[in-house]
Amino acid sequence: MTRIEHDFVELSFDDPRGTNRLDAAAARELREAVAMIAIADRVHGVLVTSRQSGFVAGADAVEYSALLQKPQRDVETVARQMSESLRALGELRFPVIAAISGPAIDGGLELALAADFRVMSATARTGLSQVRLGLLPHLGGTARLPRIVDLGTALDWISGGNLFSAGAARSAGVVDDVVDAATVRKHALDWLTRAASGALDWQARRRAKESAVALSAAEIEDLCRTKTTDAAKTSPRHQPAAIAAIECVRRSSQLDLPQALQLEQREFATLAKTQAAASLVQAVCNEILLKTRSNQRAQQARRVQQSAVVGAGIMGGAIAYASALVGTPILMKDIAQRQLDRGLEEVDQLLARQVSAGRLTVEASQAVRSRIAPQLDYLGFAQVDLVIEAVVENLGVKHAVLAEVEKAVAADAIVATNTSSLRVDDLAAPLARPEQFVGLHFFNPVPLMPLVEVVQGSRTSDATLAAAVGYALALGKTPIVVKDCPGFLVNRLLTAYLLGFAGLVFDGADFVKVDRAMEAFGWPMGPAYLADVIGLDTMSHIIDIICAGYPQRMTTTPLEPTKVMAGHQRFGQKSGVGFYRYETDPNGRRKKVQQPDSHQLLATSQKSGTRDFTDAEIVERMMLPMVLEAAVALEEGVVESPAALDTAMSLGLGFPKYAGGPLQYADWLGLDKVVELSTRYARIGPLYRASDELRRMASRGGRFYSE
C-alpha cells in the first residue's frame, strides 16, 4: 500500500512465492489494508495493481482441498470472511480502478469486478473457471458479473468455466479498456484521475452493482431456463456445478448485492461438500504433487538429445511423431520396408490432422517430419541417448531385438521397452547392462493419451529412471513411476474390473445393460464396448498374463466373455464386430450397433440362464474388484502414493472424474462400506476379498487421503 500522485493510494499485490493468489491469507491482508485506507486522510482514489507478471489468481487447489474438509457451516464462514474483503474494497468512498497487467483468473477476476473500472493488458486472459473444480465463484462472481454485463454473457462465463482473451473480455463488457502490457498502469491511472475528477460516473457503476439485475423476473426465468438446458447437455456426468451456478444467479438476480453475496456463499458451501468437488480438487492436488516429484527426478538426469524407436508400424510411428513434435530427433528402425512405410503413414496422418486443425503450419509440419529418420539398419544408433523397443509382444522376439539394440548403442545409452504386458525383469534377462533398461509404456493412441507408465525393474538404476521420466515430461506426458509386476498398474486394475464384468455375465447379466449402467455411473464407455475398442484378442491375452501373475486373486476360464468373442474371430472394432457391430456413418465416423447373436454366443457361459441385475448391484460388482486391487497394489508399493495411482487410472483409463480414482472413490464410500461390500460379495470368489491391511484401515476409520 503506497501513496502516489493526486492523493491516490496504490494497492499492489506482491506474493513472494511468485504468483499472486487471493487465498485466505491474502484476503485477510486486503481487508486490513482497505480498513487503513478507509480512515486515511486525503485519499481520492485507489489503484489496484500487481508487482508480479500476472495479476491475481484464485486460491490454489491445496487450500481448496483443506477448505472442503471442513463442515459446511465452516466453509460458508470462510467464504463470507474472504468475500467481505472485496466488499469493503468496493464500498470505499472514492473510485477504485483495477490495472490488470496479467492473467486474472477466478478470485483475481472477482477482485477486479469489485473495482469500479478495469483496464487490462492485451496479452492477459481472464475468466471464472471454478465450475471445473465442481464449485462456483465465492468472492462475488455470481453476484457482480450479472450486474456488470448482460445476464446471458454472465451466465456463459460463470457456468462455462472458460478463460477468455482481453479482447473478448472487452467485447463482453467485463473490462473497460485493453491496452499494451507496458502501459496498463499508466492508462489505469488516467482512468482513476478522470473518475476522481468526476469525468467518469463511478457512483453510477456502484449503484448498478448494488441493485437487482435490470431485467424482469420473466426475462430472467426464461434466460436461465435456456442456459440450464444447454448446461445439462454439456456438463460432465455427476458434476452439478454448472447448473447450480446458473440456479444461484437466477435466485440472486432479484436481490440486492449483499443478499446475492450471501446466497453465493451458501451455494458455494453446499457444492463444496459434493463428491465431484472433493474429487476434482483432489485431482488437481495430485497433479501438482506428481509434477513436482517428476521434475525433481528429471533434474537428476541428462536431457535426451537424440532418440530412436525400434519397431515401426502404428505404435512406432506415433512414438516417433510425439518425439519429433517436441523437437527431439528420432531414428525409426524396422526390418521391413512395409512396416517403415506404415509408420511414416501414421506420422503423415497425424501431421495432416494438426495442419487441418490449424495447430501447425505446413512448414512446421515439414520440420517435424524432417526430424524422423526411417531406416532398416542401426546406423546412427551409437549417438542415441535413449531408444525405445516397440516390437511385437513376444518374449523371444523382444529378447533378440533388445540384445541387438544394446550392442548398437553407446555404453551409457538407455534402452526402454514399450511392452504393455511382459515384465521388465524378464525382458532384461539377456542384457549386459540391465541397470540401463526401463519400461516406457505408452497408451494408445499415443498423441491423445497423456499417461506414460515408467516401469522400474529390480535392476533399473535411479539415473535411468530419472532420464526416462525426463523424456516423458519432454514429450508433454504425465509419467507415473510403477514397480515391475504383471500388468504394471493400469492393465492390472483394468483386468480386475473386466473380471468383475465376466462374473456378472456368468451369472446371467445382459452385457448391454452392464454397459449402460457403467456409462451412467460415469465411465466413457461400458466394459464390453471398452473391450471392443481395445481389441478382444488383445484384451484376452492381457487377462491371461495378469491372471497368471496373480492366481491367488484372479482367475480366468475359456468361457470368459472376451475369450468367447475372440474365439469366434470377433475382435471388436478392428474386425468390425465384437460384442457390438461397427458401421461407418455418412460422415465417416464409426458407430456401434447391436449385434443380434452376441447374447446367443454368451449364453454358453450362463449356466443358470439370464438374470436381471439392478444398476446399483452392477456398479458394486464392477467397481469393487478394481478398488480392492488398487488397495493391494498400493500396499505392494507398485506406485508411490494414492495420488499416483488415481492419476494413472484417470489419465490411462478414463476413470470418472467426479469419483476421482479408485482410492478417492473408496474414501468417498468409506472404507468400512468397502469392507462391508467385500463381505457381502466374498462368496463370488477371491476377487472380492478385502486385504487384511484394508480391513485394519477400515477398523480404525482410516482413509487413503489424510485430511
Side-chain angles (χ1 to χ4, degrees):
M1 186 175 69
T2 307
R3 279 190 176 271
I4 57 176
E5 60 264 43
H6 308 306
D7 286 329
F8 295 151
V9 170
E10 182 171 0
L11 192 58
S12 191
F13 284 76
D14 187 15
D15 193 316
R17 295 170 294 183
T19 298
N20 294 327
R21 292 194 174 278
L22 196 52
D23 53 19
R28 184 171 57 253
E29 291 179 11
L30 174 63
R31 185 165 59 249
E32 293 169 354
V34 169
M36 293 175 64
I37 294 171
I39 61 174
D41 295 331
R42 299 190 314 278
V43 177
H44 296 149
V46 172
L47 181 67
V48 182
T49 65
S50 166
R51 292 181 185 175
Q52 300 294 338
S53 57
F55 181 61
V56 178
D60 64 21
V62 175
E63 179 167 304
Y64 264 145
S65 181
L67 179 61
L68 268 52
Q69 300 292 334
K70 298 178 181 293
Q72 183 170 329
R73 181 177 298 178
D74 292 349
V75 174
E76 185 176 344
T77 297
V78 171
R80 184 178 66 254
Q81 292 170 345
M82 293 179 66
S83 184
E84 285 173 352
S85 299
L86 276 64
R87 177 109 173 104
L89 177 67
E91 289 180 337
L92 287 170
R93 64 184 183 278
F94 28 73
V96 178
I97 310 295
I100 307 172
S101 55
I105 312 300
D106 298 346
L109 176 55
E110 293 180 276
L111 170 68
L113 294 176
D116 301 305
F117 297 96
R118 290 158 289 282
V119 178
M120 189 174 192
S121 163
T123 59
R125 289 169 65 79
T126 189
L128 299 169
S129 66
Q130 291 95 332
V131 295
R132 296 183 181 273
L133 292 178
L135 299 166
L136 53 72
H138 66 286
L139 301 178
T142 68
R144 292 190 178 92
L145 190 59
R147 291 160 172 79
I148 293 173
V149 303
D150 71 85
L151 183 58
T153 297
L155 289 169
D156 289 340
W157 277 54
I158 294 166
S159 66
N162 299 312
L163 300 185
F164 297 89
S165 68
R170 176 66 183 87
S171 298
V174 176
V175 300
D176 300 286
D177 199 4
V178 173
V179 299
D180 182 76
T183 63
V184 171
R185 185 181 181 279
K186 175 179 176 297
H187 279 83
L189 193 56
D190 178 61
W191 277 77
L192 183 57
T193 301
R194 287 186 286 150
S197 69
L200 295 175
D201 191 353
W202 57 275
Q203 291 99 335
R205 287 282 186 102
R206 294 225 180 145
R207 287 193 295 272
K209 281 193 291 187
E210 292 286 341
S211 306
V213 171
L215 290 174
S216 70
E219 290 173 317
I220 293 170
E221 290 289 337
D222 288 345
L223 186 54
C224 289
R225 187 182 303 112
T226 299
K227 296 298 183 182
T228 297
T229 300
D230 293 342
K233 294 176 182 176
T234 58
S235 293
R237 292 189 185 98
H238 308 294
Q239 294 187 31
I243 293 174
I246 295 170
E247 176 63 11
C248 179
V249 172
R250 184 192 70 80
R251 293 171 57 197
S252 67
S253 293
Q254 296 283 286
L255 306 176
D256 61 23
L257 183 61
Q259 292 172 317
L261 291 170
Q262 290 177 3
L263 177 61
E264 177 186 80
Q265 294 149 18
R266 189 160 57 248
E267 293 306 308
F268 171 81
T270 299
L271 279 176
K273 305 311 294 182
T274 62
Q275 182 179 12
S279 297
L280 293 168
V281 170
Q282 185 63 56
V284 176
C285 293
N286 291 350
E287 181 182 330
I288 294 169
L289 175 66
L290 293 172
K291 186 174 182 179
T292 300
R293 181 69 175 118
S294 294
N295 286 333
Q296 289 171 343
R297 275 198 168 105
Q299 288 172 3
Q300 304 168 18
R302 67 181 186 185
R303 185 178 181 275
V304 174
Q305 304 286 345
Q306 173 71 59
S307 59
V309 60
V310 177
I314 293 177
M315 179 59 78
I319 292 172
Y321 162 83
S323 186
L325 187 65
V326 298
T328 304
I330 186 165
L331 310 177
M332 185 169 67
K333 193 264 182 195
D334 207 291
I335 59 173
Q337 185 62 48
R338 178 176 57 84
Q339 284 296 99
L340 282 179
D341 292 342
R342 192 179 182 194
L344 290 173
E345 180 182 347
E346 176 71 9
V347 171
D348 290 339
Q349 288 177 353
L350 292 169
L351 287 173
R353 289 176 199 155
Q354 293 289 319
V355 172
S356 176
R359 289 186 286 268
L360 283 180
T361 63
V362 172
E363 294 75 17
S365 72
Q366 291 171 344
V368 173
R369 180 69 158 73
S370 70
R371 298 185 193 112
I372 301 171
Q375 57 193 68
L376 296 170
D377 54 31
Y378 287 105
L379 183 65
F381 270 61
Q383 285 74 51
V384 165
D385 300 308
L386 181 146
V387 56
I388 302 168
E389 166 273 309
V391 302
V392 64
E393 286 286 284
N394 178 284
L395 185 62
V397 173
K398 286 184 181 289
H399 275 170
V401 170
L402 288 168
E404 288 181 0
V405 168
E406 190 180 45
K407 292 175 183 176
V409 300
D412 61 348
I414 293 166
V415 179
T417 175
N418 183 47
T419 184
S420 61
S421 59
L422 300 173
R423 293 193 61 170
V424 167
D425 281 352
D426 291 340
L427 291 171
L431 299 182
R433 300 187 294 273
E435 69 278 3
Q436 290 165 227
F437 184 60
V438 66
L440 274 176
H441 177 211
F442 292 85
F443 288 75
N444 199 27
V446 173
L448 298 180
M449 297 297 285
L451 178 67
V452 174
E453 287 182 316
V454 182
V455 188
Q456 184 174 23
S458 62
R459 290 178 288 179
T460 303
S461 71
D462 289 342
T464 296
L465 187 71
V469 167
Y471 182 66
L473 285 173
L475 296 183
K477 304 298 185 183
T478 299
I480 302 290
V481 175
V482 299
K483 188 172 74 174
D484 185 28
C485 60
F488 312 137
L489 178 68
V490 173
N491 282 341
R492 172 177 171 177
L493 269 59
L494 172 60
T495 295
Y497 176 78
L498 290 178
L499 290 176
F501 169 62
L504 278 165
V505 174
F506 291 156
D507 289 347
D510 177 356
F511 73 88
V512 175
K513 182 173 182 180
V514 174
D515 271 7
R516 288 173 182 160
M518 298 315 295
E519 288 166 8
F521 177 77
W523 286 96
M525 55 187 73
Y529 187 18
L530 175 63
D532 273 1
V533 171
I534 294 172
L536 292 164
D537 52 341
T538 300
M539 201 64 251
S540 177
H541 175 66
I542 290 173
I543 288 173
D544 282 345
I545 290 175
I546 294 174
C547 285
Y550 307 101
Q552 69 277 23
R553 291 191 304 283
M554 302 187 203
T555 58
T556 186
T557 74
L559 295 179
E560 195 274 323
T562 61
K563 291 184 182 299
V564 171
M565 294 300 173
H568 286 81
Q569 304 302 299
R570 296 164 64 142
F571 302 137
Q573 281 191 349
K574 61 186 174 184
S575 68
V577 64
F579 288 98
Y580 300 95
R581 188 173 75 256
Y582 296 89
E583 300 175 349
T584 303
D585 66 18
N587 296 318
R589 290 190 294 263
R590 186 176 289 174
K591 64 177 183 179
K592 70 179 175 73
V593 297
Q594 298 297 320
Q595 177 64 18
D597 65 344
S598 291
H599 291 94
Q600 297 171 13
L601 292 177
L602 294 173
T604 58
S605 62
Q606 296 174 324
K607 301 302 184 183
S608 300
T610 60
R611 176 184 156 195
D612 187 31
F613 289 85
T614 65
D615 284 1
E617 190 172 4
I618 289 171
V619 168
E620 289 172 352
R621 288 189 56 166
M622 289 293 305
M623 294 302 299
L624 189 57
M626 178 179 281
V627 168
L628 297 176
E629 192 63 26
V632 173
L634 186 67
E635 291 168 23
E636 294 176 350
V638 175
V639 287
E640 295 177 320
S641 64
L645 189 148
D646 282 348
T647 301
M649 295 304 292
S650 176
L651 299 182
L653 202 57
F655 195 97
K657 289 186 180 298
Y658 82 95
L663 301 180
Q664 175 78 7
Y665 177 60
D667 277 353
W668 180 261
L669 288 175
L671 299 193
D672 54 344
K673 175 66 174 179
V674 172
V675 169
E676 186 271 318
L677 288 172
S678 169
T679 302
R680 186 191 310 171
Y681 290 117
R683 57 179 172 74
I684 298 174
L687 189 67
Y688 288 88
R689 292 175 191 159
S691 69
D692 291 341
E693 175 58 25
L694 183 60
R695 290 180 179 277
R696 281 192 289 270
M697 285 181 65
S699 67
R700 60 176 183 263
R703 295 166 51 88
F704 289 107
Y705 290 91
S706 58
E707 296 184 11

